[in-house]
Amino acid sequence: MRPIMSRDYMREVHVDMIISAVEMLFIDANVNLSLNVIDAIKGAIAREESTAGKEVLTELINNAEIAKEERLPVCQDTGLAVTFVEIGQDVHITGGSLFDAISEGVRRAYQKGFLRKSCCDPFTRKNTGDNTPPIIHMKIVPGNRIKIIAMPKGGGSENYGEVRMLTPAQGREGVKAFVLDMVRKGGPNPCPPIIVGVGIGGNLETSAQLSKEALMVPLGTHNSDPEIAALETEMLDEVNRTGIGPQGYGGTVTALDVHIEMMPCHIASLPVAVNIQCHAHRIKEVTL
Ligand code: SF4
């Protein structure tokens, strides 16, 4: 691997460094649940009122420990390779294209890590064979670093995501009703306890992206806007009152958290997206 070269504040980063980082991130994310998620599930065991629910949550912790020890995936569905990249405007990538580097990193991770390849043609269902192409969300930011976040995302939870263009008059109550509708529709299928990402505002595609970004917010934290933070708490209570419970066995912990990301929208619209994540919330990041 070639070293990083400095030229004043501009940095050159060779694609080899990106390939290695992406390979490491997707293997690590799949076999090693983050402490934040482990702690959230442990906290849920204390809060859960049903015996079956407590047992399920305890098994999830046992499963995560075995996966870490044996270097095995936490879940058989090792997901589509969702990747968020924040690239400093003073970074110059050398040796190839960023997209190809991320694809190669994903390819190596799923081959070397013996992770299931879950990517296929939408109609023929023919597997692409190496879990590529990755899904890449890119942001250009100030500075000369590259931050890469890997979030392998399973199909069972992704299937219960949706974008709805609400009318402005539907307001907060309309958003709450939509979120609850999606949670009830999913029931046990997205493998609760779930995490609910809600994107509000922007337009059709940005609301969807915001809902995915909402899933990256650490569990147990809230939006910096007190009003939105209160709405997150309110919605979490309502989701947990559905009684779906861990893995759908009934209980008081259906969700570990609800996170909202919001931005301004058109005066005629209220776009809202819901993106549901399962208990196997696999997310790892590195800054190069
Ligand atoms: S929804 Fe999550 S936990 Fe359930 S099978 Fe898919 S990846 Fe695994």
Side-chain angles (χ1 to χ4, degrees):
M1 184 188 298
R2 289 192 203 165
I4 295 172
M5 292 167 56
S6 294
R7 194 187 300 149
D8 299 329
Y9 53 85
M10 169 72 83
R11 283 176 74 221
E12 291 191 349
V13 178
H14 195 269
V15 287
D16 285 351
M17 184 174 262
I18 296 165
I19 294 169
S20 301
V22 170
E23 177 187 337
M24 179 275 292
L25 284 177
F26 274 100
I27 293 178
D28 191 40
N30 268 298
V31 304
N32 192 6
L33 270 193
S34 70
L35 205 56
N36 178 241
V37 177
I38 300 274
D39 285 347
I41 298 174
K42 284 183 178 167
I45 298 174
R47 287 197 309 282
E48 177 55 60
E49 289 173 15
S50 92
T51 307
K54 274 186 190 293
E55 282 174 13
V56 167
L57 293 167
T58 305
E59 282 310 314
L60 295 182
I61 294 293
N62 292 339
N63 179 65
E65 283 169 1
I66 292 168
K68 186 178 175 183
E69 275 170 32
E70 309 272 333
R71 299 291 292 167
L72 291 169
V74 170
C75 178
Q76 46 76 35
D77 183 351
T78 51
L80 282 187
V82 178
T83 314
F84 291 85
V85 182
E86 286 180 14
I87 182 157
Q89 62 197 20
D90 297 318
V91 171
H92 175 216
I93 292 169
T94 60
S97 85
L98 180 59
F99 179 83
D100 289 347
I102 293 171
S103 296
E104 182 57 22
V106 167
R107 190 173 291 116
R108 291 185 192 179
Y110 280 76
Q111 281 299 127
K112 292 188 194 169
F114 302 103
L115 306 175
R116 191 185 81 182
K117 288 92 179 169
S118 306
C119 188
C120 71
D121 180 280
F123 286 146
T124 66
R125 313 308 292 177
K126 187 175 183 303
N127 199 299
T128 63
D130 57 6
N131 223 46
T132 67
I135 312 247
I136 303 175
H137 303 284
M138 190 96 67
K139 259 189 197 158
I140 297 178
V141 297
N144 61 5
R145 314 287 292 183
I146 304 177
K147 181 171 167 184
I148 304 173
I149 301 173
M151 191 167 75
K153 185 75 166 65
S157 55
E158 192 73 357
N159 286 345
Y160 293 93
E162 205 170 288
V163 178
R164 280 191 200 166
M165 302 303 284
L166 303 186
T167 62
Q170 287 177 278
R172 294 163 70 103
E173 291 311 310
V175 172
K176 278 160 58 181
F178 174 33
V179 170
L180 274 179
D181 184 33
M182 294 309 295
V183 170
R184 287 204 183 95
K185 227 186 231 179
N189 296 325
C191 298
I194 55 174
I195 300 150
V196 186
V198 185
I200 304 174
N203 58 6
L204 184 128
E205 74 270 18
T206 49
S207 63
Q209 173 136 0
L210 286 173
S211 70
K212 188 75 87 194
E213 287 174 11
L215 295 179
M216 298 195 298
V217 176
L219 300 173
T221 63
H222 284 294
N223 194 290
S224 54
D225 180 330
E227 269 192 42
I228 302 303
L231 185 58
E232 289 174 336
T233 304
E234 207 179 312
M235 288 205 286
L236 179 60
D237 288 346
E238 290 191 19
V239 167
N240 283 334
R241 276 202 293 274
T242 60
I244 294 164
Q247 292 292 300
Y249 285 106
T252 45
V253 181
T254 297
L256 296 173
D257 234 331
V258 174
H259 288 144
I260 299 172
E261 290 292 312
M262 196 161 95
M263 68 180 289
C265 62
H266 193 280
I267 53 172
S269 311
L270 175 49
V272 186
V274 173
N275 197 173
I276 290 181
Q277 175 65 299
C278 56
H279 65 80
H281 180 38
R282 295 151 293 184
I283 180 164
K284 288 288 160 81
E285 69 174 63
V286 71
T287 300
L288 303 175

